[in-house]
Amino acid sequence: MAKYKNNIALKPNSDHWLLSCIIGLMVYFAVLSISGNLSLSKISNQWVSDLSGNITIEIPPVFKEDKKTGIQTIDHELLEGQSDTLIEILGINDKIAKVTPLSKQDLLELINPWLGSNVSNNELPLPALIDVQIKEGNILDIKELEKSLQEHVKEVKVNDHMSWSKDLYKFTSTIKIISATLSISIIILAIMIIIMTIKSRMEVHRSETELLHLLGATDRYIAHQFQSQALHSSFKGTVIGVIAALITLFIISKISSSIDSNIIPEFSLSLKQWGIIAIAPMFISCLLAMITIRITAIKELQKMQ
Amino acid sequence: MHLIKFTNVSMKYGSNMPVLDNINFEIKPGSYHYLTGNSGTGKTTLMKLLYMGQMPTSGSIQILGHDVNRISRGKLTKLRREIGIVFQNFRLLNHLNIMDNIALPLRIASIHEDDIKNNVVELLQWVGLGDKIYEFPESLSGGEQQRAAIARAIINRPKILFADEPTGNIDENIGGKIMMLLEELNKLGTTVVVATHDESILKKFPHPSLNIENKKLILQPPRFSSEAA
């Protein structure tokens, strides 16, 4: 312990706080970016899992005309009849596990985020939808199925959810790459700031450093003096950054859970993920700061006599 | 046999004229030399070359058997621990108390904390600062700070002690006491080199001088030795 007792006059001044603040800000953004990435992964995995193995049968609305008034309205009876026919046909397919027609209420809930709750499906030309779950491990030829169903209902369409999920997956992957790039940029920026801070601090304490060299101190010993001081500042900044990020994430989590929406997914992290977010940045940023400070200090010291 | 040997040493800064030109001299173990010369003649430069604070532009410097121009960084560190330096402006660290200032070379050398304390307390009593152990440099007088600086320079029991104007910032009476300390150290076997321009010191404590004149070094016998006797 005696070996590394601090000997350099590094009094806590503004640049200590500056380093703490910069590191804190970097950690704050890095944590938000990483947790956003984690959350996005969770959401995209959920989307893919929800959509895989499902198809939707869509029967477009059929209209009938009132002979007296000439007004066109949806022929619900015909639509229901067509739906029942298709449910029957789908039910005997041995590759299909479950056939679920969507009720009027289900349809209204689907359009609720866009059109609000004060809409009646009698007023809108809504199609009839049938949710079909394919048996696990089976592959259904969608075009073949559509062709066979069109023999009974000419206008029917079969929608494969996997094609949507591929697009969603592509979209979330792009956002994840942008987020990871942002995190890496923040880390690189933090390293550059630490290097500049250490260099300027070494310049300020040049006289003390020179004295220690003349008294027989090794570069390692002197680097440790700077390292311990800067590490203290980095740790303080990291703790502040992590706490601020956790508070922000907690607020986002509360707000997202209070929004009753099918469009905006709820932001939620597992206990393990919360733990990782709280501990990993502290460990990583302190380790990164320690290595950066040590390498910078030793390189600078080697330039001296 | 020599502890220090300068062979054809020259020193210049940038493209200016050399401060020291083709200097040659040897210092034997246990000797006591003054380094003299008028202001601006290169005393400080020569002192820095002696305590390896800078390297010569040309020529060879041998200290304790090592060629300092070719020495590795690791060996240079070890060699510096064999040397004690008393700086003109003391260079004590103001945020450390006297105990920690004196202990600095021992801590750098990874000496055990118990041994550090015993050695520092004993040495501070020898230099007359036994009651100032936990005081800070700024609260000490110039003479006390100089004695603390000497204590720090000799705590490692160095083979060579370099003192740059050790009496420069203190009154004559205290200066005399400081010089007595250096005399005692020399008697204990330490090789001493003192840079000074104080004629009264040269007169009171006569030793050979390395005098710098016109960028050259001339070895002079003890001055005023008859008066001092």
Side-chain angles (χ1 to χ4, degrees), chain A residues 2 7 207 213 216 219 301, chain B residues 73 77 81 91 93 95 113:
Chain A
N7 304 311
S207 171
H213 264 148
D219 292 338
L301 288 165
Chain B
R73 205 159 174 85
T77 299
R81 292 180 190 176
R91 293 183 77 169
L93 297 176
H95 70 293
E113 202 60 27

Side-chain angles (χ1 to χ4, degrees), chain A residues 59-75:
Chain A
I59 310 164
V62 185
F63 295 93
K64 60 178 178 185
E65 192 179 308
D66 190 323
K67 285 173 185 170
K68 288 178 187 172
T69 59
I71 297 168
Q72 283 200 333
T73 52
I74 298 167
D75 190 344

Side-chain angles (χ1 to χ4, degrees), chain B residues 140-183:
Chain B
L140 302 185
S141 68
E144 286 170 334
Q145 287 189 46
Q146 189 62 289
R147 278 184 277 160
I150 291 172
R152 185 182 63 190
I154 61 173
I155 188 77
N156 254 352
R157 301 176 201 277
K159 291 188 173 119
I160 312 167
L161 179 71
F162 298 114
D164 193 3
E165 303 280 2
T167 59
N169 297 319
I170 47 184
D171 67 52
E172 199 178 327
N173 187 32
I174 303 290
K177 283 182 183 169
I178 297 288
M179 293 311 292
M180 284 300 294
L181 269 177
L182 299 180
E183 290 284 323

Side-chain angles (χ1 to χ4, degrees), chain A residues 152-182:
Chain A
H152 302 276
V153 178
K154 204 181 167 187
E155 304 298 324
V156 72
K157 278 183 196 164
V158 178
N159 295 314
D160 179 9
H161 295 188
M162 274 315 282
S163 62
W164 303 347
S165 68
K166 273 178 196 162
D167 289 342
L168 282 173
Y169 196 77
K170 221 170 163 180
F171 173 69
T172 52
S173 296
T174 310
I175 294 181
K176 274 155 68 178
I177 289 168
I178 292 168
S179 163
T181 311
L182 194 70

Side-chain angles (χ1 to χ4, degrees), chain A residues 107-146:
Chain A
L107 287 172
L108 288 174
E109 274 176 26
L110 281 175
I111 59 167
N112 185 342
W114 288 273
L115 302 177
S117 55
N118 299 325
V119 184
S120 157
N121 75 330
N122 289 328
E123 300 164 10
L124 292 169
L126 292 174
L129 296 177
I130 304 165
D131 185 51
V132 175
Q133 200 179 331
I134 301 161
K135 276 183 186 170
E136 212 176 308
N138 282 283
I139 299 166
L140 210 60
D141 187 333
I142 305 296
K143 283 196 174 166
E144 190 62 37
L145 180 71
E146 194 174 56

Side-chain angles (χ1 to χ4, degrees), chain A residues 2-11 206-208 210-219 221 301-305, chain B residues 51-55 73 76-77 80-81 83 85 87 91-93 95-96 100 104-105 107-108 110-111 113 116 152 156:
Chain A
K3 191 177 172 186
Y4 290 130
K5 192 167 176 176
N6 291 339
N7 304 311
I8 298 179
L10 295 176
K11 285 172 191 165
R206 196 175 185 84
S207 171
E208 291 94 330
E210 193 186 83
L211 175 71
L212 289 177
H213 264 148
L214 292 174
L215 294 179
T218 57
D219 292 338
Y221 179 93
L301 288 165
Q302 281 171 346
K303 289 179 197 165
M304 297 170 79
Q305 286 287 337
Chain B
Y51 63 67
M52 294 169 284
Q54 58 189 33
M55 296 296 160
R73 205 159 174 85
L76 178 67
T77 299
R80 278 173 169 159
R81 292 180 190 176
I83 289 164
I85 311 163
F87 300 97
R91 293 183 77 169
L92 296 168
L93 297 176
H95 70 293
L96 297 180
D100 287 336
L104 202 48
R107 288 196 172 123
I108 285 169
S110 303
I111 306 294
E113 202 60 27
I116 290 176
R152 185 182 63 190
N156 254 352

